[in-house]
């Protein structure tokens, strides 16, 4: 699970059209970092989900960290969207929660576990990757 950090502030500061550009750019950056077999999706609002088939938790954490860095390093050009803003490029960060499917788990359990890890990432300062642990 992926959440764009402080996305409401982007909308409030630069306008909803700039927020839409942030969503499009983040999605593009995320997709560019994935394998053809991986499945990225917008989950809702400023949240995304990525399924990494046949990937162990440690590998998924490495992918998540790669995604985090790629989004953080991307400058998003809003100059054509918000001509009144003195800011021409903005950057955003993402928080990620990683969980591994275990035999017998439902899809709902997998999503709940990833969401718990995402909540921990946000609670721990954002712009970070956290994994699901049984004691969350």
């Amino acid at each position: 699970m992926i959440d764009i950090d402080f996305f409401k502030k982007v909308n409030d500061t630069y306008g909803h059209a700039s927020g839409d550009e942030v969503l499009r750019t983040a999605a593009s950056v995320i997709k560019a970092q994935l394998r053809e077999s991986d499945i990225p999706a917008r989950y809702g609002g400023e949240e995304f989900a990525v399924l990494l088939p046949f990937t162990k938790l440690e590998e998924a954490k490495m992918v998540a960290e790669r995604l985090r860095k790629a989004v953080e390093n991307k400058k998003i050009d809003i100059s054509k969207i918000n001509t009144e803003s003195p800011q021409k490029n903005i950057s955003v960060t993402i928080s990620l929660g990683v969980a591994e499917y275990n035999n017998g788990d439902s899809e709902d359990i997998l999503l709940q576990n990833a969401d718990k890890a995402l909540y921990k990432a946000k609670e721990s300062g954002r712009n970070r990757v956290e994994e699901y642990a049984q004691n969350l």
Side-chain angles (χ1 to χ4, degrees), residues 27-40:
S28 176
V29 169
I30 289 166
K31 187 174 182 182
Q33 295 294 318
L34 299 174
R35 304 169 297 189
E36 194 171 306
S37 61
D38 298 334
I39 305 165

Side-chain angles (χ1 to χ4, degrees), residues 57-75:
L57 187 62
E58 287 305 313
E59 297 168 313
K61 285 171 37 184
M62 289 188 295
V63 171
E65 184 60 28
R66 187 172 70 232
L67 297 176
R68 188 195 66 73
K69 287 179 183 176
V71 171
E72 180 180 39
N73 291 327
K74 179 67 175 173
K75 301 294 181 216

Side-chain angles (χ1 to χ4, degrees), residues 8-15 82 85:
K8 183 180 180 329
K9 185 176 178 184
V10 171
N11 279 336
D12 291 349
T13 303
Y14 304 107
N82 187 341
S85 175

